[in-house]
Amino acid sequence: DSGVTQTPKHLITATGQRVTLRCSPRSGDLSVYWYQQSLDQGLQFLIQYYNGEERAKGNILERFSAQQFPDLHSELNLSSLELGDSALYFCASSPFRRDGQETQYFGPGTRLLVL
Amino acid sequence: DQQVKQNSPSLSVQEGRISILNCDYTNSMFDYFLWYKKYPAEGPTFLISISSIKDKNEDGRFTVFLNKSAKHLSLHIVPSQPGDSAVYFCAASFFYSGNTPLVFGKGTRLSVIA
């Protein structure tokens, strides 16, 4: 158990809909990262938050957005869903290190299926 | 444009023997490398990491070697056990402006045969 929790574990929805994925980081970790894993793909970085502020963006679509709340939990919002958005979505958290060499700890993921 | 490559999609090893998983990278700015193990329906689990200032790091049965000049790292598992059967991901990062997202390879599926 990494200490990172994600809900829900599974989500089935229809095209055009909007969903919200939730992540609670490990106690004390200020950074939260979101990754997407599609079929036959490695994990693709989507977005990073640090202590409530957006820090870095990766391959995140404009239809997707995220935020980190004062209690440090984070939500990933996916809207106007398409079939191709079906994937595993992982959240990770890491402690702060001045040298940037932070180990990220992953949650169990949310499996999204868009029908 | 894959910055981190794991060229072997799968590897089979007999129980008790050594497993060697390889990873190549193209970005010379990477200064921190990690290996994760992933079982089906679970999130990646951190195994071991290495800083670019080192060329070897050991933790029990797991050893990671880094060859910066070749931009290559490898994970050695000795002895291999059936419970090691999983997908192994290599990841890399570099520190800029306080951001350290990981860049992952596509993974190597290890099967340890009893």
Side-chain angles (χ1 to χ4, degrees):
Chain A
D1 185 354
S2 66
V4 178
T5 60
Q6 287 186 251
T7 57
K9 194 166 178 62
H10 301 278
L11 199 49
I12 301 174
T13 188
T15 54
Q17 294 298 305
R18 172 189 168 97
V19 297
T20 297
L21 313 183
R22 182 188 169 103
C23 168
S24 292
R26 297 186 324 155
S27 177
D29 286 354
L30 298 179
S31 281
V32 169
Y33 302 79
W34 287 96
Y35 292 86
Q36 179 192 57
Q37 185 183 24
S38 302
L39 196 63
D40 295 333
Q41 295 291 320
L43 285 86
Q44 301 286 322
F45 167 67
L46 295 177
I47 196 164
Q48 176 198 358
Y49 277 83
Y50 176 80
N51 202 20
E53 292 186 3
E54 181 185 302
R55 270 291 176 91
K57 270 188 172 180
N59 301 319
I60 188 165
L61 299 171
E62 285 192 14
R63 300 183 284 110
F64 296 0
S65 65
Q67 53 185 328
Q68 186 179 28
F69 295 86
D71 67 352
L72 300 178
H73 91 271
S74 178
E75 292 181 355
L76 179 67
N77 301 296
L78 315 176
S79 61
S80 303
L81 284 167
E82 301 175 359
L83 295 178
D85 297 328
S86 296
L88 276 166
Y89 291 85
F90 291 103
C91 166
S93 74
S94 66
F96 174 75
R97 280 181 57 131
R98 290 190 183 279
D99 63 4
Q101 296 188 348
E102 302 168 352
T103 296
Q104 294 181 25
Y105 297 89
F106 283 78
T110 293
R111 182 176 291 277
L112 173 66
L113 181 59
V114 182
L115 300 176
Chain B
D1 176 26
Q2 265 193 283
Q3 297 187 67
V4 177
K5 298 178 185 179
Q6 293 177 256
N7 292 320
S8 299
S10 63
L11 175 69
S12 287
V13 172
Q14 279 203 308
E15 181 180 6
R17 306 295 289 268
I18 183 172
S19 295
I20 300 176
L21 296 98
N22 294 304
C23 177
D24 296 297
Y25 61 96
T26 57
N27 191 337
S28 57
M29 296 280 288
F30 287 140
D31 62 3
Y32 190 52
F33 304 88
L34 308 91
W35 284 94
Y36 287 85
K37 176 170 75 172
K38 187 179 181 304
Y39 293 118
E42 294 184 13
T45 300
F46 169 70
L47 271 179
I48 192 169
S49 62
I50 187 166
S51 166
S52 60
I53 62 172
K54 296 184 175 181
D55 54 19
K56 178 182 173 182
N57 189 27
E58 282 182 88
D59 185 0
R61 297 186 297 114
F62 302 92
T63 303
V64 56
F65 295 91
L66 175 62
N67 182 333
K68 288 187 290 294
S69 60
K71 295 192 181 70
H72 176 83
L73 64 156
S74 60
L75 174 68
H76 293 210
I77 306 173
V78 183
S80 301
Q81 300 173 352
D84 295 330
S85 296
V87 177
Y88 288 77
F89 290 97
C90 169
S93 72
F94 64 93
F95 184 54
Y96 68 102
S97 303
N99 308 320
T100 54
L102 293 175
V103 179
F104 282 85
K106 291 193 174 183
T108 295
R109 182 177 301 277
L110 173 66
S111 299
V112 180
I113 305 161

